Amino acid sequence: MQVQDKKVKRISVMNLDTSQSADNGTTSSSSTSSSRGLPNGGSSEKSYNCANNDLPFPPGGYASLRLPVVTGQELNPVARCRRVYAHAHDYHINSISNNSDGETFISADDLRINLWNLEINSQSFNIVDVKPANMEDLTEVITCAEFHPTHCNTLAYSSSKGAIRLIDLRQSALCDNHSKLFEEHEAPGSKSFFTEIIASVSDIKFARDGRHILSRDYMTLKLWDLNMDSGPVATFQVHEHLRPKLCDLYENDSIFDKFECCLSGDGHRLATGSYSNLFRVFGCTSGNTEATTLEASRNPMRRQVANPTRPTRTLTSLTRAVRRGGENAGADGNGNSNDFSTKLLHLAWHPTENSIACAAGNSLYMYYA
């Protein structure tokens, strides 16, 4: 009688005695023969239910028996180059920014800003070009560029003269003219050999709400309101204590260091790096005079000091810059001498969480408050 399905319904007792297995070579196949000879689930003397636990099992097991083994399925992400956008810049690229439309991005070098489509790597559009006909007439270069976080037609770029220009891509294909200019002029008679060097903007960041721009020059952090181009709404002192050492900083090229800046996702705090692997965090909301110095190390509170409080001023009532921070000449905020060989140039704030990442030397530190 043919078997109607392929399910195993019973097993036979195997003869484990090798001396007897030679005499009874058909024992191992008794399950098949008995199952075919017994219709409707009949029973046999040598067959029993598989739930029975009396089946003998040798101590060493069966060499031919292979049990499934659980293996780890941990994934190791690997970065792969998908596209190369080449042959569009003659100088080193200093910044890249993605557009909020999710389709384009910009790349900027010292003289040009190019607009790319993410899906096309063979062609770009030059939207800003500050290269003069005669290179001897060059007076300023582009230092940073960034798209507006929500308006895909708006971007800002900074220059080595301390200016921030806001441009609208809808005006023309080549944005030679800016829609707004943010610049703070020095008081007459206060200019020196280092004035233009320390005024160069090394980094700019839009606030998440798109209302403010944070800029970083060598000495300060400045917060700008897009609706007020007469001057920054607040200025935060970072390296004022180094002003007496500008000559030494110029000799060892430290004055040309490019420090980045960042804002928290809620826009309540700002941060930037400094020397000796220090970074400073400032509060920028109304009535907040927070100015904290931390060290990028396993113990970030090791060099923390409380800065003297300043009179509170609201951002909406500011008619001039509010200056905050330590002003001890020749030392950092803790009174310690600066180590110019160790510097914290790169840092970033998480867009939604209150965590910050700092790159100091060959180490990456992440802090959560």
Side-chain angles (χ1 to χ4, degrees), residues 108-184:
D109 62 20
D110 291 344
L111 300 179
R112 292 184 176 91
I113 300 178
N114 293 329
L115 178 67
W116 299 83
N117 188 293
L118 289 170
E119 302 297 330
I120 304 173
N121 61 347
S122 59
Q123 184 181 13
S124 64
F125 298 94
N126 179 230
I127 56 176
V128 176
D129 191 347
V130 299
K131 183 179 180 180
N134 185 359
M135 286 297 290
E136 295 181 356
D137 298 331
L138 182 65
T139 58
E140 64 179 337
V141 296
I142 299 170
T143 57
C144 186
E146 179 162 303
F147 263 117
H148 192 278
T150 56
H151 299 165
C152 61
N153 59 282
T154 304
L155 65 92
Y157 70 93
S158 58
S159 73
S160 58
K161 280 192 172 182
I164 301 175
R165 293 175 172 85
L166 196 69
I167 62 175
D168 192 339
L169 298 179
R170 297 172 298 183
Q171 292 181 349
S172 62
L174 184 61
C175 302
D176 295 328
N177 299 321
H178 52 268
S179 58
K180 284 190 177 181
L181 175 64
F182 303 92
E183 188 176 14
E184 186 179 28

Side-chain angles (χ1 to χ4, degrees), residues 266-304:
D266 55 12
H268 294 169
R269 289 177 177 82
L270 323 170
T272 188
S274 183
Y275 295 104
S276 303
N277 285 345
L278 300 178
F279 64 98
R280 306 205 65 189
V281 180
F282 301 93
C284 61
T285 55
S286 301
N288 192 341
T289 59
E290 176 186 0
T292 307
T293 302
L294 301 171
E295 182 184 18
S297 64
R298 294 183 180 273
N299 183 16
M301 309 296 289
R302 185 163 65 96
R303 295 194 181 187
Q304 182 183 15

Side-chain angles (χ1 to χ4, degrees), residues 203 205 259-265 270-274 277-281 294-297 300 343-369:
D203 190 26
K205 290 290 190 303
F259 292 94
E260 294 181 359
C261 59
C262 61
L263 300 92
S264 60
L270 323 170
T272 188
S274 183
N277 285 345
L278 300 178
F279 64 98
R280 306 205 65 189
V281 180
L294 301 171
E295 182 184 18
S297 64
K343 60 197 74 173
L344 199 156
L345 300 178
H346 310 287
L347 74 170
W349 213 304
H350 194 281
T352 57
E353 297 180 2
N354 193 20
S355 59
I356 187 171
C358 306
N362 61 350
S363 301
L364 178 64
Y365 299 93
M366 299 189 69
Y367 305 103
Y368 180 81

Side-chain angles (χ1 to χ4, degrees), residues 190-344:
S190 62
K191 290 187 176 181
S192 65
F193 174 77
F194 306 107
T195 299
E196 187 172 326
I197 300 176
I198 62 177
S200 176
V201 178
S202 59
D203 190 26
I204 59 173
K205 290 290 190 303
F206 274 99
R208 193 177 181 186
D209 59 3
R211 173 71 182 272
H212 297 87
I213 296 179
L214 180 66
S215 66
R216 172 70 154 97
D217 55 44
Y218 188 75
M219 305 297 290
T220 63
L221 273 173
K222 292 184 175 70
L223 188 65
W224 305 82
D225 191 329
L226 294 185
N227 296 332
M228 189 178 72
D229 54 2
S230 59
V233 296
T235 300
F236 307 88
Q237 295 295 338
V238 181
H239 284 163
E240 185 63 28
H241 58 278
L242 296 178
R243 192 173 292 275
K245 293 187 174 183
L246 291 180
C247 290
D248 298 334
L249 296 170
Y250 180 79
E251 291 294 331
N252 59 20
D253 290 338
S254 295
I255 200 173
F256 301 104
D257 289 334
K258 307 298 182 184
F259 292 94
E260 294 181 359
C261 59
C262 61
L263 300 92
S264 60
D266 55 12
H268 294 169
R269 289 177 177 82
L270 323 170
T272 188
S274 183
Y275 295 104
S276 303
N277 285 345
L278 300 178
F279 64 98
R280 306 205 65 189
V281 180
F282 301 93
C284 61
T285 55
S286 301
N288 192 341
T289 59
E290 176 186 0
T292 307
T293 302
L294 301 171
E295 182 184 18
S297 64
R298 294 183 180 273
N299 183 16
M301 309 296 289
R302 185 163 65 96
R303 295 194 181 187
Q304 182 183 15
V305 294
N307 291 278
T309 59
R310 301 283 180 177
T312 59
R313 301 285 296 278
T314 61
L315 293 179
T316 56
S317 63
L318 286 175
T319 56
R320 61 184 179 85
V322 178
R323 301 185 178 272
R324 306 173 186 168
E327 298 180 358
N328 298 327
D332 59 20
N334 304 301
N336 302 322
S337 59
N338 288 277
D339 181 8
F340 299 114
S341 62
T342 58
K343 60 197 74 173
L344 199 156

Side-chain angles (χ1 to χ4, degrees), residues 61-75:
Y62 296 102
S64 60
L65 185 61
R66 296 290 185 267
L67 297 178
V69 179
V70 178
T71 59
Q73 297 293 331
E74 297 181 0
L75 300 179

Side-chain angles (χ1 to χ4, degrees), residues 14-18 54-65:
M14 299 179 63
N15 188 355
L16 302 179
D17 190 352
T18 57
D54 296 335
L55 177 65
F57 198 80
Y62 296 102
S64 60
L65 185 61

